[in-house]
Amino acid sequence: MGIRKLIQANGIQIETFIYGDGPAALIMAAGNGRPAIQLDELAQAIASKGIKVVTYNYRTLGASTGKIEGLTLHDYAVDLWKVADELGLKEVYLAGKTYGNRVVRTASQDRPERVLGIVLIGAGGEAQPSAETMALYQRYMDPSISKEEWLKLQGQLMYAPGNEHLALLDQAQGEFPALAGQQAKSSDATPKEQWSTGGTAPMLVITCLLDRVAVPESALNIAKERPKTWLVGLPLCGHNMLNEKGNDIKRLIVEFILNTPSDEVKSAKQD
């Protein structure tokens, strides 16, 4: 894990982890109901390239506190910006894994002047998955689900065929269906036009071609409709692509940040 820092903001606490240092800073948001540790290996890999990386636990995970009922994506965006403020980060790159990309898209759309670039890892919302997948996902988010059924659905929904065993890595990080369900409600409570474009900063959209939850058509539609947007499709991976294509994702994010640099990054490279 990175250097741990507890941030007090708006009556809640946000557990934050800081990796490395450098002229560019990247804040990353985890997936639906997932802890910050999900991003640990990716954060370490990116930080090794001279980029400051920040991850954080959503409310109710780890040492983070705060209500999760009755929220919208704007509330999660406010939490993200509180992290940036407390760490003295005025302009940042943002990256979100699956549900986290809705959080960072909202944050970017709410405060576009502070975003240098945005990365979507497994972007959904523009095209619907199959009815079968939707039904399985609803069951997956049921707080009453058993650990055995959760693990089975994690493998079935989150990974490409043949990679289902990787769900054991997620299980080791914990299961948090109560948060996952409330986060889904907060997304439903936020009008799509308030988050979907993700502001105006340059954007990299990374999709896995066997993703059955955030289907690749969603990523394609975003890239077709939004200026300054790059699309990369990765083969042989599904929705929880970090455990399947971690090295590719690290490389793509680093290249994106170094090729869409802030003035500080430009200055450092010139020096």
Side-chain angles (χ1 to χ4, degrees), residues 62-249:
S64 293
T65 63
K67 74 168 191 173
I68 57 175
E69 298 82 9
L71 302 182
T72 71
L73 288 171
H74 297 289
D75 294 300
Y76 285 104
V78 168
D79 291 352
L80 184 153
W81 286 123
K82 280 296 182 182
V83 169
D85 290 342
E86 290 298 317
L87 297 180
L89 305 175
K90 295 181 179 179
E91 293 182 317
V92 294
Y93 292 87
L94 299 176
K97 192 267 180 191
T98 57
Y99 180 86
N101 83 67
R102 298 191 182 208
V103 174
V104 300
R105 278 197 266 180
T106 307
S108 181
Q109 202 156 320
D110 287 349
R111 302 295 301 274
E113 75 282 0
R114 296 187 64 175
V115 182
L116 300 169
I118 182 169
V119 180
L120 310 185
I121 306 169
E126 303 300 319
Q128 292 300 310
S130 69
E132 177 192 9
T133 296
M134 291 288 286
L136 290 173
Y137 199 79
Q138 288 298 319
R139 178 60 184 163
Y140 168 78
M141 292 191 296
D142 187 334
S144 68
I145 193 172
S146 69
K147 291 182 180 296
E148 292 76 17
E149 187 178 3
W150 184 91
L151 180 62
K152 179 181 178 181
L153 289 174
Q154 184 75 4
Q156 187 176 358
L157 289 169
M158 302 298 164
Y159 291 101
N163 291 339
E164 293 90 349
H165 63 284
L166 295 174
L168 289 169
L169 299 175
D170 304 317
Q171 187 181 53
Q173 297 168 355
E175 305 132 50
F176 309 97
L179 174 62
Q182 289 298 328
Q183 285 188 318
K185 290 179 180 179
S186 69
S187 180
D188 292 340
T190 311
K192 185 179 175 183
E193 64 271 14
Q194 295 181 12
W195 61 267
S196 61
T197 62
T200 57
M203 178 182 283
L204 171 64
V205 183
I206 304 172
T207 188
C208 272
L209 301 179
L210 296 180
D211 191 336
R212 61 182 294 181
V213 178
V215 294
E217 288 80 5
S218 278
L220 176 61
N221 289 343
I222 294 168
K224 286 169 62 177
E225 297 172 5
R226 188 184 186 279
K228 296 188 293 184
T229 302
W230 289 261
L231 172 64
V232 177
L234 298 176
L236 304 177
C237 56
H239 193 58
N240 209 21
M241 58 184 76
L242 296 180
N243 293 332
E244 296 170 298
K245 295 289 183 178
N247 288 336
D248 290 319
I249 294 168

